[in-house]
């Protein structure tokens, strides 16, 4: 069964092959709601907002928050500082990693319930597992950054995650931490396939901020493949990306 | 939830209604500029097709059409969306000669999941909210 809801300002879909999985699906949506309540920088009552206002000391943060901040710091170190959750005003905004982190944990909840054939998709980022309802591999379309109803690439995910960073519809939600005033205009979409959605998401965010160097960064990183679309309608892919491509 | 309070939720907390009957009410969002927090409520959405307003998503205008059946959203279609492929052709790009490049083109293969850049902007949510308000009338 499949269910879509809008949470965290985006459509989130959970599909578990078979019927009568509504209780685990409810748990997954409740989990996303709890993640939003903790990590949303738009909510004054969230833990991240309270931390940014100095109302919580670092040692009193939740284990979840500590984990996200630790992964954020690790990602910053792995990406020459191109992944940076500290904004120019000094506050922390971990939203570049929370989505992938939450999808990974949601998928873990479904696996822990003994279910193997499912996917979780939030705002275009995906963790797939097992097979689809026809016992085939999950086939994933990459949406065109130019024409919303079109798919420009079809890939299969065999347990991997795929995340996409884009610049055209959410506005400037990613900026270059080394030059915050400079807009990243040329690249409109960068999809990354990684061993899981968290790996895909954090490196998609960082590689996008690198501009055209991002695809070379992905090429040099084991386990990550990328598909970059620039504003002129040209796609550039890493050398291992083709192994996932159906059409 | 009574209809009038539902309108209040829609209009003042930016919460819209979608698809499922069992979830709880969203607490009011105090910041009107916050990302709209949409949650699940089924009652009082009337069947039909409803078009939201057109909003500026920074790179262009976004407008959506929601189709409601049996009180649930079954489809949300983008009627307008940013599209600047036609105006960006002149941009000069540096080549990455050692990686495979191609002109992007529409694919027709069957898929179960669509990933990629998503319609998650505030403009999209506002337009969807309009459509759902219309469906509640």
């Amino acid at each position: 069964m499949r269910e879509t809801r809008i949470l965290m300002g985006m459509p989130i879909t959970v599909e578990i092959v078979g019927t009568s999985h509504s209780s685990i699906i409810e748990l997954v949506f409740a989990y996303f709601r709890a993640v939003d309540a903790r990590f949303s920088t738009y909510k004054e009552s969230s833990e991240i907002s309270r931390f940014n206002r100095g109302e919580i000391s670092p040692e009193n943060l939740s284990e979840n928050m500590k984990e996200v901040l630790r992964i954020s710091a690790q990602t910053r170190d792995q990406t020459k500082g191109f992944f940076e959750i500290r904004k120019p005003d000094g506050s922390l905004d971990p939203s570049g990693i929370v989505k992938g982190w939450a999808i990974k944990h949601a998928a873990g909840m479904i696996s822990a319930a003994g279910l193997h054939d499912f996917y979780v998709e939030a705002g275009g980022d995906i963790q797939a597992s097992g097979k689809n309802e026809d016992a085939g591999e999950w086939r994933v379309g990459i949406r065109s950054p130019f024409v919303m109803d079109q798919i420009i690439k079809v890939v299969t995910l065999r347990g991997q995650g795929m995340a996409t960073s884009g610049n055209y519809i959410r506005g400037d939600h990613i900026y270059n931490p080394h030059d915050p005033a400079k807009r990243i205009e040329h690249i409109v979409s960068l999809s990354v396939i990684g061993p899981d959605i968290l790996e895909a998401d954090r490196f998609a965010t960082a590689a996008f901020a690198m501009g055209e160097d991002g695809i070379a960064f992905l090429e040099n990183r084991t386990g990550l493949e990328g598909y970059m679309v620039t504003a002129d309608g040209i796609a550039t892919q890493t050398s291992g990306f083709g192994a996932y491509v159906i059409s | 939830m009574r209809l009038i309070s539902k309108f209040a939720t829609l209009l003042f907390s930016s919460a819209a209604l979608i698809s499922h009957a069992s979830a709880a009410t969203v607490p009011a969002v105090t910041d009107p500029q916050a990302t709209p927090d949409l949650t699940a409520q089924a009652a009082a959405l009337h069947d039909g097709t409803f078009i939201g307003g057109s909003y500026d998503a920074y790179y262009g205008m976004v407008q959506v059409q929601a189709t409601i059946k049996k009180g649930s959203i079954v489809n949300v279609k983008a009627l307008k969306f940013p599209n600047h492929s036609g105006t960006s052709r002149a941009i000069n790009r540096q080549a990455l000669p050692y990686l495979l490049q191609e002109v992007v083109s529409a694919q027709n293969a069957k898929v179960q999941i669509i990933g990629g850049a998503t319609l998650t902007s505030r403009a999209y949510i506002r337009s969807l909210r309009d459509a759902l308000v219309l469906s509640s009338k």
Side-chain angles (χ1 to χ4, degrees):
Chain A
M1 64 183 293
R2 183 176 61 201
E3 179 88 25
T4 297
R5 296 196 198 157
I6 297 187
L7 290 167
M8 300 165 76
M10 63 193 166
I12 299 178
T13 299
V14 178
E15 177 168 350
I16 304 176
V17 172
T19 52
S20 71
H21 299 300
S22 54
S23 58
I24 181 73
I25 286 178
E26 286 302 324
L27 281 176
V28 168
F29 283 119
Y31 171 73
F32 276 110
R33 209 169 287 125
V35 167
D36 193 35
R38 187 184 296 282
F39 290 97
S40 173
T41 55
Y42 294 105
K43 290 185 162 66
E44 286 186 16
S45 60
S46 70
E47 184 178 349
I48 190 69
S49 294
R50 290 165 60 217
F51 180 66
N52 279 331
R53 290 195 302 268
E55 295 168 17
I56 307 176
S57 60
E59 60 270 24
N60 288 330
L61 289 171
S62 66
E63 289 306 312
N64 278 337
M65 186 65 71
K66 286 178 182 168
E67 181 183 338
V68 164
L69 297 185
R70 183 181 56 73
I71 298 168
S72 298
Q74 179 194 22
T75 308
R76 181 189 61 218
D77 295 344
Q78 289 171 319
T79 61
K80 303 168 193 159
F82 275 96
F83 184 94
E84 177 56 77
I85 64 169
R86 187 172 297 279
K87 297 200 289 185
D89 68 5
S91 67
L92 299 185
D93 180 1
S95 55
I97 206 163
V98 165
K99 182 164 57 161
W101 177 83
I103 296 171
K104 179 182 176 178
H105 282 282
M109 290 168 66
I110 301 171
S111 295
L115 301 164
H116 306 291
D117 299 322
F118 64 87
Y119 73 85
V120 179
E121 181 261 320
D125 294 349
I126 299 149
Q127 176 66 58
S129 174
K131 298 288 174 64
N132 66 33
E133 64 182 352
D134 300 322
E137 288 169 332
W138 291 110
R139 294 158 71 102
V140 181
I142 298 178
R143 192 191 298 277
S144 167
F146 306 115
V147 183
M148 203 49 60
D149 295 341
Q150 274 184 11
I151 291 167
I152 54 169
K153 211 70 190 163
V154 178
V155 299
T156 56
L157 293 180
R158 308 173 186 96
Q160 293 91 357
M162 186 182 85
T164 299
S165 285
N167 215 11
Y168 73 108
I169 201 149
R170 289 194 88 146
D172 285 327
H173 78 295
I174 296 176
Y175 61 91
N176 179 347
H178 298 310
D179 190 357
K182 182 182 171 189
R183 280 181 32 206
I184 302 164
E185 287 187 313
H186 189 196
I187 297 171
V188 291
S189 172
L190 175 62
S191 297
V192 174
I193 297 175
D196 64 41
I197 183 58
L198 175 58
E199 294 299 287
D201 191 24
R202 64 198 189 102
F203 287 109
T205 304
F208 189 88
M210 294 176 191
E212 290 216 12
D213 294 338
I215 196 75
F217 173 85
L218 295 169
E219 175 71 16
N220 289 322
R221 196 147 181 114
T222 307
L224 298 175
E225 302 298 341
Y227 191 77
M228 173 184 78
V229 180
T230 42
D232 51 6
I234 303 290
T236 305
Q237 65 189 58
T238 56
S239 54
F241 187 82
Y244 296 98
V245 171
I246 292 180
S247 70
Chain B
M1 189 190 288
R2 299 248 307 270
L3 205 55
I4 185 73
S5 63
K6 190 162 288 180
F7 279 136
T9 307
L10 282 167
L11 295 173
F12 300 121
S13 78
S14 301
L17 315 174
I18 191 164
S19 87
H20 204 263
S22 61
T25 309
V26 194
V29 178
T30 49
D31 174 6
Q33 291 302 305
T35 298
D37 191 356
L38 308 188
T39 193
Q41 289 287 340
L45 286 184
H46 300 304
D47 290 359
T49 298
F50 304 92
I51 296 174
S54 181
Y55 292 96
D56 189 350
Y58 185 78
Y59 279 83
M61 302 302 284
V62 167
Q63 184 175 34
V64 305
Q65 169 185 290
T67 302
I68 313 293
K69 274 186 191 163
K70 296 180 182 172
S72 292
I73 300 175
V74 294
N75 189 29
V76 180
K77 182 180 180 185
L79 301 177
K80 285 184 195 168
F81 40 81
N83 179 353
H84 46 93
S85 62
T87 58
S88 303
R89 299 254 175 229
I91 291 175
N92 191 16
R93 64 188 307 278
Q94 287 186 318
L96 286 160
Y98 61 98
L99 295 178
L100 181 62
Q101 295 190 315
E102 62 192 9
V103 176
V104 299
S105 61
Q107 303 296 314
N108 294 314
K110 187 186 172 208
V111 300
Q112 289 90 37
I113 319 170
I114 297 179
T118 49
L119 284 165
T120 54
S121 71
R122 192 169 296 151
Y124 171 82
I125 300 290
R126 281 183 185 156
S127 188
L128 176 59
R129 185 185 62 198
D130 286 355
L132 295 178
V133 167
L134 288 174
S135 82
S136 303
K137 286 181 178 171

